[in-house]
Amino acid sequence: MPEHVQERKPKISASRKLMLKSLMVAKAKEELEQEILDKEEEKHRYLAERAPPLNMSGLSLGQLQDLCRELHAKIDVVDEERYDIEAKVMLNTREIKDLNIKVLDLRGKFKRPNLRRVRVSADAILRSLLGSKHKVSMDLRANLKSVKKEDTEKKRPVEDSDWRKNVEAMSGMEGRKKMFDAAKGSAQ
Protein backbone atom coordinates (compact mmCIF):
# COMPACT_ATOMS: atom_id res chain seq x y z
CA MET A 1 0.00 0.00 0.00
CA PRO A 2 1.63 3.26 -1.06
CA GLU A 3 2.18 5.81 1.66
CA HIS A 4 2.05 8.77 -0.70
CA VAL A 5 -1.58 9.51 -1.61
CA GLN A 6 -2.11 12.10 -4.31
CA GLU A 7 -4.63 14.80 -3.54
CA ARG A 8 -7.27 15.10 -6.21
CA LYS A 9 -7.69 18.53 -7.61
CA PRO A 10 -11.26 19.55 -8.29
CA LYS A 11 -12.05 19.86 -11.97
CA ILE A 12 -14.15 22.97 -11.36
CA SER A 13 -13.02 25.84 -9.19
CA ALA A 14 -15.14 26.98 -6.24
CA SER A 15 -16.04 30.29 -7.87
CA ARG A 16 -17.12 28.47 -11.05
CA LYS A 17 -19.26 26.06 -8.95
CA LEU A 18 -20.89 28.98 -7.16
CA MET A 19 -21.62 30.74 -10.44
CA LEU A 20 -23.15 27.58 -11.94
CA LYS A 21 -25.30 27.04 -8.84
CA SER A 22 -26.58 30.59 -8.95
CA LEU A 23 -27.39 30.22 -12.68
CA MET A 24 -29.25 26.97 -12.01
CA VAL A 25 -31.26 28.57 -9.18
CA ALA A 26 -32.11 31.57 -11.39
CA LYS A 27 -33.22 29.27 -14.25
CA ALA A 28 -35.34 27.16 -11.85
CA LYS A 29 -36.94 30.33 -10.46
CA GLU A 30 -37.85 31.52 -13.98
CA GLU A 31 -39.34 28.13 -14.86
CA LEU A 32 -41.37 28.09 -11.64
CA GLU A 33 -42.77 31.57 -12.35
CA GLN A 34 -43.60 30.53 -15.93
CA GLU A 35 -45.34 27.39 -14.65
CA ILE A 36 -47.45 29.46 -12.23
CA LEU A 37 -48.46 31.82 -15.06
CA ASP A 38 -49.36 28.87 -17.31
CA LYS A 39 -51.55 27.37 -14.57
CA GLU A 40 -53.35 30.70 -14.07
CA GLU A 41 -53.99 31.03 -17.82
CA GLU A 42 -55.29 27.47 -18.04
CA LYS A 43 -57.55 28.11 -15.04
CA HIS A 44 -59.03 31.23 -16.69
CA ARG A 45 -59.48 29.35 -19.99
CA TYR A 46 -61.21 26.47 -18.23
CA LEU A 47 -63.52 28.77 -16.25
CA ALA A 48 -64.41 30.75 -19.40
CA GLU A 49 -65.25 27.50 -21.17
CA ARG A 50 -67.22 25.90 -18.32
CA ALA A 51 -68.89 28.99 -16.84
CA PRO A 52 -69.50 31.71 -19.43
CA PRO A 53 -70.31 35.15 -18.02
CA LEU A 54 -73.98 35.66 -17.15
CA ASN A 55 -76.01 38.24 -19.00
CA MET A 56 -78.92 39.06 -16.70
CA SER A 57 -79.81 42.51 -17.97
CA GLY A 58 -83.22 42.74 -19.63
CA LEU A 59 -84.46 39.32 -18.45
CA SER A 60 -87.98 38.87 -17.15
CA LEU A 61 -88.83 37.20 -13.84
CA GLY A 62 -89.64 33.85 -15.54
CA GLN A 63 -86.39 33.91 -17.51
CA LEU A 64 -84.42 34.66 -14.32
CA GLN A 65 -86.11 31.73 -12.57
CA ASP A 66 -85.23 29.44 -15.51
CA LEU A 67 -81.64 30.67 -15.33
CA CYS A 68 -81.54 29.92 -11.59
CA ARG A 69 -82.87 26.39 -12.21
CA GLU A 70 -80.20 25.79 -14.86
CA LEU A 71 -77.49 27.04 -12.51
CA HIS A 72 -78.77 24.81 -9.69
CA ALA A 73 -78.76 21.80 -12.04
CA LYS A 74 -75.16 22.59 -13.05
CA ILE A 75 -74.17 22.96 -9.39
CA ASP A 76 -75.70 19.56 -8.63
CA VAL A 77 -73.75 17.95 -11.50
CA VAL A 78 -70.51 19.57 -10.33
CA ASP A 79 -71.12 18.44 -6.73
CA GLU A 80 -71.71 14.87 -7.91
CA GLU A 81 -68.46 14.95 -9.91
CA ARG A 82 -66.58 16.41 -6.94
CA TYR A 83 -67.96 13.71 -4.63
CA ASP A 84 -66.96 10.96 -7.09
CA ILE A 85 -63.47 12.40 -7.44
CA GLU A 86 -63.07 12.71 -3.65
CA ALA A 87 -64.15 9.07 -3.25
CA LYS A 88 -61.59 7.98 -5.86
CA VAL A 89 -58.86 10.04 -4.17
CA MET A 90 -59.67 8.50 -0.77
CA LEU A 91 -59.66 5.01 -2.29
CA ASN A 92 -56.32 5.65 -3.99
CA THR A 93 -54.86 7.12 -0.78
CA ARG A 94 -55.94 4.06 1.17
CA GLU A 95 -54.48 1.78 -1.50
CA ILE A 96 -51.20 3.72 -1.42
CA LYS A 97 -51.04 3.36 2.38
CA ASP A 98 -51.64 -0.39 2.10
CA LEU A 99 -48.96 -0.74 -0.55
CA ASN A 100 -46.51 1.30 1.55
CA ILE A 101 -47.20 -0.98 4.49
CA LYS A 102 -46.58 -4.03 2.28
CA VAL A 103 -43.32 -2.53 1.03
CA LEU A 104 -42.18 -1.78 4.58
CA ASP A 105 -43.21 -5.28 5.61
CA LEU A 106 -41.20 -6.83 2.79
CA ARG A 107 -38.19 -4.74 3.76
CA GLY A 108 -38.51 -5.84 7.35
CA LYS A 109 -38.74 -2.32 8.72
CA PHE A 110 -42.23 -2.18 10.11
CA LYS A 111 -43.13 0.81 12.21
CA ARG A 112 -45.80 -0.11 14.72
CA PRO A 113 -48.64 2.39 14.75
CA ASN A 114 -49.77 3.94 17.99
CA LEU A 115 -52.68 1.85 19.18
CA ARG A 116 -55.54 3.22 21.17
CA ARG A 117 -57.34 1.22 23.85
CA VAL A 118 -60.88 0.52 22.67
CA ARG A 119 -63.56 -1.06 24.78
CA VAL A 120 -65.59 -3.43 22.65
CA SER A 121 -68.05 -5.98 23.94
CA ALA A 122 -68.13 -9.55 22.70
CA ASP A 123 -71.47 -8.80 21.02
CA ALA A 124 -69.93 -5.92 19.06
CA ILE A 125 -67.03 -8.10 17.94
CA LEU A 126 -69.36 -10.88 16.78
CA ARG A 127 -71.61 -8.34 15.05
CA SER A 128 -68.64 -6.86 13.17
CA LEU A 129 -67.34 -10.29 12.17
CA LEU A 130 -70.62 -11.99 11.33
CA GLY A 131 -72.64 -8.98 10.24
CA SER A 132 -76.38 -9.41 10.26
CA LYS A 133 -76.09 -13.18 10.87
CA HIS A 134 -75.32 -12.54 14.55
CA LYS A 135 -78.51 -13.14 16.56
CA VAL A 136 -77.30 -14.64 19.86
CA SER A 137 -76.15 -12.25 22.55
CA MET A 138 -73.12 -13.48 24.37
CA ASP A 139 -73.10 -12.54 28.03
CA LEU A 140 -69.77 -13.73 29.41
CA ARG A 141 -70.59 -12.75 32.98
CA ALA A 142 -73.58 -15.14 33.05
CA ASN A 143 -71.22 -18.11 32.70
CA LEU A 144 -69.11 -17.15 35.71
CA LYS A 145 -69.39 -19.19 38.89
CA SER A 146 -70.91 -17.28 41.78
CA VAL A 147 -68.99 -17.33 45.05
CA LYS A 148 -70.80 -17.17 48.37
CA LYS A 149 -69.08 -15.44 51.28
CA GLU A 150 -70.80 -17.71 53.81
CA ASP A 151 -68.95 -20.80 52.56
CA THR A 152 -65.53 -19.18 52.99
CA GLU A 153 -66.41 -17.90 56.47
CA LYS A 154 -67.48 -21.37 57.66
CA LYS A 155 -64.17 -22.92 56.60
CA ARG A 156 -62.08 -20.27 58.27
CA PRO A 157 -62.70 -21.08 61.97
CA VAL A 158 -61.39 -24.61 61.39
CA GLU A 159 -58.14 -23.25 59.99
CA ASP A 160 -57.77 -20.69 62.80
CA SER A 161 -57.52 -23.32 65.54
CA ASP A 162 -54.30 -23.72 67.52
CA TRP A 163 -51.63 -24.92 65.13
CA ARG A 164 -49.51 -26.55 67.88
CA LYS A 165 -52.23 -29.10 68.60
CA ASN A 166 -52.47 -29.84 64.89
CA VAL A 167 -48.74 -30.43 64.59
CA GLU A 168 -48.66 -32.82 67.56
CA ALA A 169 -51.74 -34.72 66.36
CA MET A 170 -50.45 -35.10 62.83
CA SER A 171 -46.90 -36.11 63.69
CA GLY A 172 -45.80 -39.67 63.07
CA MET A 173 -47.52 -42.40 61.08
CA GLU A 174 -50.86 -42.02 62.84
CA GLY A 175 -51.12 -38.40 61.73
CA ARG A 176 -50.44 -39.32 58.14
CA LYS A 177 -53.10 -42.01 58.32
CA LYS A 178 -55.61 -39.46 59.68
CA MET A 179 -54.77 -37.08 56.80
CA PHE A 180 -55.15 -39.92 54.28
CA ASP A 181 -58.50 -40.97 55.76
CA ALA A 182 -59.74 -37.37 55.84
CA ALA A 183 -58.83 -36.85 52.18
CA LYS A 184 -60.47 -40.14 51.26
CA GLY A 185 -63.66 -39.28 53.17
CA SER A 186 -64.02 -35.82 51.59
CA ALA A 187 -63.58 -37.23 48.08
CA GLN A 188 -66.56 -39.54 48.53
Side-chain angles (χ1 to χ4, degrees), residues 115-155:
L115 300 177
R116 293 183 297 167
R117 185 175 298 266
V118 179
R119 289 188 148 198
V120 181
S121 67
D123 291 332
I125 293 172
L126 286 174
R127 220 176 290 121
S128 66
L129 291 175
L130 302 176
S132 61
K133 296 177 189 175
H134 175 65
K135 300 283 186 202
V136 181
S137 70
M138 189 172 171
D139 187 14
L140 298 175
R141 291 184 179 154
N143 298 334
L144 295 177
K145 182 179 176 184
S146 62
V147 178
K148 297 179 183 175
K149 286 189 175 182
E150 298 165 2
D151 294 341
T152 57
E153 290 173 4
K154 287 179 184 175
K155 291 179 183 178

Side-chain angles (χ1 to χ4, degrees), residues 169-183:
M170 296 297 174
S171 63
M173 288 302 285
E174 291 176 18
R176 292 184 188 222
K177 185 179 178 194
K178 287 179 188 175
M179 286 175 51
F180 180 73
D181 291 339

